[in-house]
Amino acid sequence: MQAYGRKTLAVNKSPDPIEGQVVADVCVIQQWPSQAAVEKWLNSAEYAPLKQLRDECAMEKLVMIPLSDVSLP
């Protein structure tokens, strides 16, 4: 993933919701240089075997939030 420009910013193996319910065992926040870089990784030969495993056993949701949509102080 690093070859595609990904940086892991946070990993929480026991997310604790402030309100509501978390249905994930692990939450990960990553920074990517662009949506195109994410898509290139997701469609890469390196990721193909892991993608099937992810879809069957791990994640059911991936969310992308473009930095342009985030207000920073």
Side-chain angles (χ1 to χ4, degrees), residues 6-70:
R6 183 263 324 166
K7 294 180 189 174
T8 296
L9 303 178
V11 177
N12 187 328
K13 293 184 180 180
S14 56
D16 186 18
I18 294 172
E19 292 185 22
Q21 188 175 11
V22 173
V23 292
D25 295 331
V26 177
C27 291
V28 179
I29 298 174
Q30 298 175 337
Q31 179 180 7
W32 291 80
S34 66
Q35 183 169 342
V38 174
E39 291 171 3
K40 189 173 180 180
W41 162 250
L42 288 173
N43 295 311
S44 71
E46 300 98 333
Y47 187 58
L50 299 173
K51 188 175 185 179
Q52 182 176 356
L53 181 63
R54 180 205 76 196
D55 291 345
E56 292 173 359
C57 303
M59 293 182 245
E60 64 179 50
K61 295 181 184 174
L62 293 173
V63 178
M64 178 180 288
I65 303 170
L67 191 56
S68 61
D69 294 349
V70 177

